Amino acid sequence: MKKVEICEIFRVSKEILMAVGVNETDAIIIADSIVDAHKREKHTHGMGRLHIYVRKIKSNQMSANTNMNVIRDNGVISVIDADNGFGQVASYKAVHKCVEKAKIYGVGIVGVRNSNSFGTACYFGNMLADSNMIGIVMGNASKALCPAGGNKACLGTNPICFSFPGTRYYPNIVLDMACAVAARGKVRLALRNNETIPDNWGNDAYGYPSTDPAEVLKGSINAFGGYKGFGLATVVEMLAGVITGSSFGDQVLPLNTPEGYSKYGHFICAISPEFFMNNEEYGERFNELVEYIKSCGEAGKVFLPGEQSQIKKEKNNESVYVPDSIIDDVNDLTEKLSVQIIKTF
């Protein structure tokens, strides 16, 4: 692990993206989401994906600039085609559109089709909560989970996020999770670091539990809670894939595929608490629930969803330790793209 200043992560991410044709406005959005992932120590969703983006853009498997084409716009609901651009940019714009609608109607929903991975769902969940909105963020992904009774993967790990605005006393409540025992990014990171993984994370191509990440990536990752996790993955597939008009099932290709566009789908919803009660009452009830939950254990031992992630973000506000393998990948890109190498200390 090497220590990197946050401003360096932002700089090198932005410069690498712009070097392959991403416009500055979009590059800033993507770089900011990368920074947020590293601050929260979700390194699998940060700079480690830059080499994938570069390769996909250079091979015409991904659009450098994310053109948002409105397919439907019916008051509360919009459907947007991201033109195979960046999921972070598509979702960022979708969040703002949801908030605009929710301020008028109480609810705003945007479905995104023909996109790519949006990074961490909590980035957009927090955006919604910071806009004083209850948020729902979902995205489908390439097949990785095997259904109960099945013998091969058919749905993605399908991230899902629910977020609620916090108060001056307590941070936002943000539940961000994959529908798998472990996110696929963690399996890939273990492979790159030559590490084994727990034998309950997934199975090889023959359906047997394996601690070898390479074999699990060829086979399937276990849904958390068995049929319950797979049930939630199905819900995400319906909302992010089927009703948005995006790809679903085995039509969705991995982010790093060399075979074509990934065609991820996203479902983003904003709900205004002000349509239920005034902000003061909401804040009082929010605080009451948080204090009730925290009273169920010793001080400092009970955390609300997203609270520990927020603590990490605040701790890593100036700098953060990043895995050596990611630093090496980034510096390989900087050399090829004539960008200044990332500074570490």
Side-chain angles (χ1 to χ4, degrees), residues 200-234:
N200 68 328
W201 278 19
N203 305 313
D204 62 21
Y206 301 99
Y208 295 106
S210 176
T211 60
D212 184 341
E215 294 304 314
V216 168
L217 290 170
K218 294 175 187 175
S220 62
I221 299 173
N222 292 328
F224 77 85
Y227 69 90
K228 294 181 179 180
F230 190 81
L232 279 176
T234 305

Side-chain angles (χ1 to χ4, degrees), residues 140-163:
N140 69 353
S142 60
K143 61 183 182 180
L145 301 184
C146 180
N151 55 22
K152 63 180 181 179
C154 65
L155 296 183
T157 54
N158 292 7
I160 181 171
C161 176
F162 293 93
S163 59

Side-chain angles (χ1 to χ4, degrees), residues 250-327:
D250 60 4
Q251 300 166 12
V252 186
L253 299 181
L255 178 66
N256 61 351
T257 181
E259 301 168 355
Y261 294 120
S262 295
K263 296 186 177 180
Y264 285 47
H266 316 312
F267 176 90
I268 298 176
C269 174
I271 303 169
S272 175
E274 291 185 79
F275 277 67
F276 291 85
M277 61 188 66
N278 62 49
N279 283 331
E280 183 179 352
E281 183 181 3
Y282 169 81
E284 289 173 354
R285 293 172 67 82
F286 181 97
N287 291 339
E288 184 179 353
L289 175 63
V290 171
E291 288 163 7
Y292 165 71
I293 292 172
K294 285 184 171 293
S295 71
C296 294
E298 295 179 30
K301 294 292 182 69
V302 178
F303 298 93
L304 276 292
E307 188 176 1
Q308 294 191 80
S309 173
Q310 184 63 26
I311 291 170
K312 289 177 182 177
K313 181 177 180 179
E314 292 169 2
K315 179 193 72 174
N316 297 323
N317 190 51
E318 299 295 331
S319 61
V320 66
Y321 284 96
V322 177
D324 291 344
S325 58
I326 292 177
I327 299 295

Side-chain angles (χ1 to χ4, degrees), residues 164-176:
F164 300 86
T167 66
R168 61 177 178 167
Y169 300 106
Y170 299 108
N172 302 334
I173 292 176
V174 184
L175 173 66
D176 176 9

Side-chain angles (χ1 to χ4, degrees), residues 114-147:
N114 296 325
S115 186
N116 283 280
S117 170
F118 52 33
T120 62
C122 71
Y123 180 76
F124 303 102
N126 274 298
M127 277 183 64
L128 287 159
D130 290 343
S131 299
N132 199 38
M133 294 289 168
I134 296 167
I136 303 173
V137 180
M138 299 181 185
N140 69 353
S142 60
K143 61 183 182 180
L145 301 184
C146 180

